[in-house]
Amino acid sequence: MGLKSFVQVSEGSHFPLENLPYGVFRRKASSEGSVVARPAVAIGDYVLDLSAVAEAGLFDGPHLKGSTCFSEPLLNKFLEMGRPAWKEARSTLQKILSADEPVLRDNDALRKKCLVPMSEVEMVLPIVIGDYTDFFSSIHHARNCGTMFRGAENAIAPNWYQLPIAYHGRSSSVVISGTDVIRPRGQGPPVGSSTPYFGPSLKLDFELEMAAVVGPGNELGKPIDVNNAADHIFGLVLMNDWSARDIQFWECVPLGPFLGKSFSTTISPWIVTLDALEPFSCQAPTQDPEPLPYLAEKTHVNYDISLEVSIKPKDHDELSIVTKSNFKHLYWTVTQQLAHHTINGCNLRPGDLLGTGTISGPEPESLGCLLELTWNAQKTLSVGKLSRKFLEDGDEVIFTGCCKGKDYNVGFGTCTGQVLPALP
């Protein structure tokens, strides 16, 4: 049986007592109360205001008693406190929200102050993202893209099997779910001997990713051991790393992605902690050849997180599921990604974001972007009664992610964005 809360949690909810993901909200202008951003956890169809919980003195353990971390409009201070504080917070919150605990259940005034219906709030970016790195960790995505552009015999470069490949992204354009995405303009490949194309991207794509949110960082020059890396990861979010393929392909040699990626990256509002995901851990794919010692993990695990992407065209009410994948397909784990990121002494900081790269599975219906699903526009993809090769103006892209337990789910909610026309 799942844990029971006095807060009603509907069957199939992403946010039962076993989850309690962290985010930052503010009340909508039309609702009562302050519009100041506040940290929260999700429970059913409510957000639990952590600043109100702290003000009531309910965080009384050794790490959180007297702390101002939940008085901040962002979660970075809490992230920096590390796993002992995270575990203490989780234990306290599960206790005060449980069905047999009266402290909130039976205190009408305090309960109304702490619990706010989701319909009355808007979610904002929960962290200051100092740096954002995007990895390339799915073997299926790497093989498909390599085959597409270099042929099957040269699909995956030898170094890909030795280290988690990545590039440094643009943190300033990471936005919260629900933010519109303006179609980017830029240069595309020339046709024949003509000059390069310039204008709105003709190959706008989504990328089904997740991202790790860094907790405590490391000092400059001091790498993080791969077997301790999980203590430096607070949790995971859904992430859509929007991509303008024509701009990307023309610019990427020799230094990699730039304007084809930096115009927008969308993340989901709720950070699901590794503690909540732990029951859904599973063996990660076998790595051949064996990684070098600094990447060799004693516990080599991923998480069984079912992922879906839907597209809703403009003026249509129906969503069309276009792909179903799973986080467990990643070849390089998030702990290996973090350890590799720091092996040269690079210092990570609380709130840094580490994207997984596109998460594709082995089946045709599990490919994580339109580039793969349409094989670079050589095929068409059915979207309801319509078809797509790449995204069109007005398309809304919706990601969902959920771990399915026997009696409960641990989910991420949604990560959405709608494509708007390019600026004139």
Side-chain angles (χ1 to χ4, degrees):
M1 293 291 293
L3 300 176
K4 297 298 181 183
S5 173
F6 70 85
V7 179
Q8 183 176 356
V9 178
S10 62
E11 185 178 355
S13 171
H14 282 204
F15 307 127
L17 197 52
E18 289 87 349
N19 191 353
L20 302 181
Y22 288 81
V24 171
F25 78 99
R26 60 181 171 226
R27 291 177 183 261
K28 294 178 179 177
S30 59
S31 66
E32 297 180 5
S34 171
V35 295
V36 174
R38 301 170 180 269
V41 294
I43 177 71
D45 294 326
Y46 290 82
V47 301
L48 180 71
D49 184 339
L50 298 181
S51 66
V53 173
E55 286 172 10
L58 300 183
F59 290 114
D60 57 1
H63 299 286
L64 294 174
K65 185 176 182 179
S67 172
T68 60
C69 64
F70 294 131
S71 301
E72 303 280 332
L74 297 157
L75 288 168
N76 294 64
K77 186 172 181 178
F78 178 55
L79 268 54
E80 188 175 14
M81 296 175 74
R83 189 162 300 281
W86 307 340
K87 285 185 173 292
E88 184 178 293
R90 180 173 175 82
S91 175
T92 298
L93 294 171
Q94 286 186 328
K95 178 183 177 182
I96 67 174
L97 288 168
S98 65
D100 56 359
E101 171 58 50
V103 65
L104 282 181
R105 185 195 65 194
D106 298 347
N107 186 330
D108 187 62
L110 183 58
R111 188 178 68 252
K112 289 181 178 178
K113 184 178 181 181
C114 292
L115 285 166
V116 185
M118 287 187 178
S119 60
E120 297 180 9
V121 308
E122 61 177 337
M123 304 304 295
V124 298
L125 277 177
I127 50 177
V128 171
I129 302 169
D131 283 291
Y132 155 51
T133 302
D134 197 25
F135 284 85
F136 185 43
S137 297
S138 164
I139 193 170
H140 306 291
H141 178 63
R143 182 178 291 119
N144 288 334
C145 293
T147 300
M148 208 179 300
F149 298 108
R150 295 188 298 275
E153 65 282 359
N154 297 308
I156 301 181
N159 67 338
W160 192 92
Y161 292 101
Q162 299 290 346
L163 56 92
I165 302 292
Y167 71 93
H168 191 266
R170 180 76 187 175
S171 61
S172 65
S173 52
V174 178
V175 297
I176 196 69
S177 174
T179 304
D180 292 332
V181 177
I182 298 172
R183 182 179 295 271
R185 298 193 305 161
Q187 291 190 33
V191 177
S193 58
S194 68
T195 58
Y197 164 82
F198 178 79
S201 171
L202 303 176
K203 291 186 174 183
L204 185 59
D205 200 355
F206 64 81
E207 284 193 339
L208 174 59
E209 300 195 27
M210 298 192 74
V213 177
V214 175
N218 58 302
E219 293 182 33
L220 183 66
K222 295 184 178 181
I224 295 171
D225 188 286
V226 69
N227 295 304
N228 299 327
D231 288 337
H232 295 264
I233 297 174
F234 178 63
L236 303 179
V237 294
L238 300 172
M239 190 176 91
N240 184 349
D241 191 28
W242 304 86
S243 300
R245 300 300 188 187
D246 41 359
I247 298 173
Q248 178 186 354
F249 298 155
W250 177 234
E251 73 182 1
C252 69
V253 177
L255 291 181
F258 183 35
L259 300 183
K261 298 278 193 175
S262 62
F263 59 95
S264 189
T265 300
T266 305
I267 63 171
S268 54
W270 296 107
I271 307 171
V272 178
T273 65
L274 293 195
D275 285 332
L277 293 172
E278 197 280 331
F280 305 95
S281 64
C282 57
Q283 188 65 30
T286 301
Q287 295 179 325
D288 184 19
E290 291 185 3
L292 295 178
Y294 80 93
L295 290 171
E297 303 179 283
K298 294 177 181 177
T299 304
H300 183 55
V301 299
N302 279 333
Y303 300 97
D304 185 2
I305 307 171
S306 297
L307 303 168
E308 288 186 358
V309 179
S310 300
I311 296 177
K312 186 172 76 169
K314 183 180 180 182
D315 299 326
H316 285 67
D317 296 326
E318 296 292 323
L319 301 179
S320 294
I321 298 174
V322 296
T323 196
K324 294 183 178 182
S325 190
N326 197 297
F327 185 87
K328 67 184 180 183
H329 294 313
L330 288 178
Y331 184 90
W332 293 104
T333 67
V334 290
T335 41
Q336 288 177 314
Q337 292 167 34
L338 185 140
H340 181 68
H341 202 312
T342 68
I343 193 61
N344 68 339
C346 174
N347 56 318
L348 300 179
R349 295 173 292 185
D352 283 355
L353 199 66
L354 307 183
T356 60
T358 302
I359 304 174
S360 294
E363 301 87 11
E365 63 272 15
S366 65
L367 305 180
C369 58
L370 291 174
L371 175 67
E372 293 174 85
L373 288 164
T374 70
W375 211 251
N376 196 21
Q378 292 183 33
K379 301 183 291 185
T380 58
L381 179 71
S382 294
V383 179
K385 295 180 181 180
L386 304 177
S387 63
R388 290 287 184 272
K389 293 186 175 181
F390 286 97
L391 294 172
E392 297 189 6
D393 292 347
D395 285 348
E396 183 179 6
V397 180
I398 303 98
F399 290 4
T400 61
C402 190
C403 305
K404 300 184 182 297
K406 182 179 179 181
D407 300 301
Y408 67 95
N409 298 324
V410 167
F412 292 78
T414 59
C415 178
T416 70
Q418 185 175 29
V419 179
L420 300 186
L423 298 176

